Amino acid sequence: MHANATVYSPTIAAAPGNSAIELDLFHQNPTIARPVQPQQPTYVVTAPQVVNYQPQRVENNAGRRQYPVNRWGDSICDWPRNLFPSCYCVCCVCCGVYLAAQIGQKTGYTQFNTVIATFVGFCILAFFLQIFLGGFIIVWIPMAFVGIYSIGLRMHIVRRENITDCGANPLFGECCVGFWCWYCSLAQMARHVYGYEKVLDGDGDPFRPDSYASGGMQV
């Protein structure tokens, strides 16, 4: 053998499962490969995904007018354009409080249930006053409440939409309109907010979509 030859000692592979021999041989010669235990295959099962199809609503705006900007939709005297629900609810349903409460909720002025509960409270108060004082108190007190509420509702819509039909000082003029003819005022507000154009045109549901082509009353 040559003097400069390098002698390689054979590596001894540890028997599988003999952990003591493996550990001792590994410390003596780290080049000894450890046996690799076979791994079990992993299976991933995914559940099928259910996709719910939601049909999108396509509105047909053909022939529908745009929402009026900075003005009322029509005149205070245009009540014959819509007899139901605006005129009917104003004249025949509890002094118009039902329709006024619906408009109030749709425009963000008040809650429907709050207005109706307040009206019922005034009716109960008027009933007891009627017993002790007589007269027509049972009629005038609830009616006065609806009239005052309607004026406030009109002022709210005028400020909210910057309606300038009454000139440079619209609040004063609109307050006079709401005071002297609050029945016609309430019917006009219903036609304006809901976009009624027919004599018989739906109902006064506060969540009822208006009849305008786009925009409409945004709460």
Side-chain angles (χ1 to χ4, degrees), residues 6-78:
T6 303
V7 179
Y8 293 93
S9 59
T11 59
I12 302 175
N18 195 341
S19 58
I21 298 177
E22 291 178 5
L23 183 61
D24 182 65
L25 291 177
F26 178 76
H27 286 291
Q28 294 179 9
N29 190 354
T31 61
I32 299 177
R34 291 184 177 182
V36 178
Q37 299 294 334
Q39 297 182 355
Q40 296 295 330
T42 303
Y43 300 95
V44 180
V45 179
T46 59
Q49 297 182 356
V50 179
V51 179
N52 294 326
Y53 173 74
Q54 297 293 340
Q56 297 183 355
R57 177 182 177 184
V58 179
E59 296 184 357
N60 183 12
N61 293 328
R64 302 172 67 186
R65 59 173 178 161
Q66 298 294 326
Y67 192 83
V69 180
N70 303 130
R71 62 181 179 83
W72 292 106
D74 54 18
S75 172
I76 189 71
C77 297
D78 286 336

Side-chain angles (χ1 to χ4, degrees), residues 129-146:
L129 292 177
Q130 175 79 23
I131 296 176
F132 295 102
L133 301 178
F136 293 94
I137 297 178
I138 195 172
V139 176
W140 291 114
I141 290 182
M143 184 178 293
F145 163 73
V146 179

